[in-house]
Amino acid sequence: QALRPKPRVGRQADSRIPASHSFCAPILAMGVHRRQAVAPLLLAWIVFLSQRDGASAQKLPGHSIPTPPDLYSLVADWFLAGTVIPTQQAMILNPGVPNRMGIMWSSYPLLTDSFEVTMTFRGKRPTKRNVKDEGFAFWYVYENGTQAHHNISFEHAQKQEEIIADTWKNAFTEGGMDLFGYRSQYNGLGVFFVDEESPSVCAIPNDGQKTFKLGQGIPTYDAVKYDFLNGEFTVKIIIKPDNAKIEVGGQTIDVKAAFKPGGYIGFTSFGGVKAAPDAEEKAGFLELLSLTTVNNDLSTKGEEAHTTQAPPPPVPADEKIDVLADASTFKDHRAESDAIKELTNMVFKLVVETQPMRQQMSRAIESLGKRIEVMEGNFAELKAELDKKTGHKLGAEFDAIKKELTSLSSVASEATEERHSRLESLHADIADVHKSAHSPDNIDKHLDKLTQSNTKVLDQLTNEHQKMFGVSIAAIAFIIIAGLSLYNKFRCWEKKHVL
């Protein structure tokens, strides 16, 4: 039904053909039925072609990199140098540092001249442009890139003294490798990603005779404008014997040239040079997330068959030994740093976990403070209303009652202390009497005196006790009467809807 042609407006005019021309009707009907019969055949043919195209693509694992990268496959199938670093997520081509170069080559050649390479990158540029001549390139060349870069990369690009002195590029320039770290007179295809004011992508074939450099033929006049340092993007490169096609950012670059088997694929990247001496040491960050290479010609073998070293069995956690950490001269500093880091993580975790609780407590305290302020205001209004209704200040009266009760307690404590002092003096007198007594008569006299003084003391104590009891009863009665009067006032106000 999808392939069935829609009726055109002109067909409606056929129904108005005169009867003298009715002989055309069977022919028209025959054409319609023939198209209806051909439609299923066309659909089946399209499905067959799509299945055939899908079956004709043979993945080449020796020229592919999965996500995450397999370290053992990288060691067996690829040459890495410079800033190219495998991580647990991707392959870092440029870590965002100027004046640094990354090199990556396949160790074995492609044996086909009809293949397809699909690559996924992720790029991020700094907030301010600090470098120039920055970018990277994809290569399909007939020179063994591993042999070309092995000695020069280890002797210069990765030599600490030359990196510090910034002289490692001299050997590359003298060797003709001044195009993103590879030869400016290359033999094959180069796809160049140039980061400038208007980032672009271009593809240039070369036979090893012409020289291409940044600003001298690169980028080309018809380069595709695409910002490749702005997130994740996919590049597809299709190589055929007589042409090549590059797809990036929804745009296509067509290359007319002859390509032959036996070439090597690879990448080179350059972090650029600082635009100014005082510019910040930051360049674009670029990583390769995945790379898939397929052979589109099943009549030829895509790559050499070789075995990859099997990974060793996993080592138990208690048997693992960090040789570098144990032999490092900064072992003690590293241990201190780990302890500080662990403590920092614990403090951060504690702060993060207690933050909601502290916020909740702060809100609760603020709410309680507001309620207390409202309650104090209500009490102040109630006090003013009571003073207004009674005609006198109840607060001042209660303060006076409290002061009087306080004075009573102080008087009672003073009287108690005085009694204790008198008892102590009495005991002292008794002791003196016992010491100075010489005859029974003297003892009787002293005892009579002592009895009389004791009787006086008891009478005085009784009187004071009765007085204090009366005062306490009077105070309690006053408090009860005042409380009843307040209760009566509240009941009266409640009836009058004052409260």
Side-chain angles (χ1 to χ4, degrees), residues 415-463:
T416 303
E417 289 178 358
E418 185 178 357
R419 292 191 202 99
H420 281 292
S421 62
R422 288 182 180 180
L423 287 174
E424 289 176 356
S425 63
L426 179 61
H427 285 294
D429 292 341
I430 291 173
D432 293 336
V433 168
H434 280 289
K435 290 180 181 179
S436 60
H438 297 287
S439 63
D441 294 336
N442 292 332
I443 294 174
D444 292 336
K445 292 179 181 178
H446 285 293
L447 288 176
D448 291 337
K449 290 182 180 179
L450 181 62
T451 302
Q452 292 176 359
S453 63
N454 192 17
T455 302
K456 290 181 180 179
V457 169
L458 291 174
D459 292 339
Q460 188 173 1
L461 288 174
T462 302
N463 294 332

Side-chain angles (χ1 to χ4, degrees), residues 23 149 180 193 201 218 266 280 339 359 403 421 441 481:
F23 65 88
H149 271 118
F180 289 141
F193 298 77
V201 182
I218 299 176
E280 191 176 6
Q359 292 179 354
K403 290 180 180 179
S421 62
D441 294 336
I481 293 171

Side-chain angles (χ1 to χ4, degrees), residues 400-413 415 419 462-481:
I401 292 172
K402 288 192 292 183
K403 290 180 180 179
E404 190 171 349
L405 291 174
T406 304
S407 63
L408 287 175
S409 64
S410 61
V411 169
S413 62
R419 292 191 202 99
T462 302
N463 294 332
E464 291 292 335
H465 177 70
Q466 291 177 353
K467 186 186 296 182
M468 288 296 297
F469 181 75
V471 172
S472 300
I473 292 297
I476 292 170
F478 178 77
I479 292 172
I480 291 172
I481 293 171

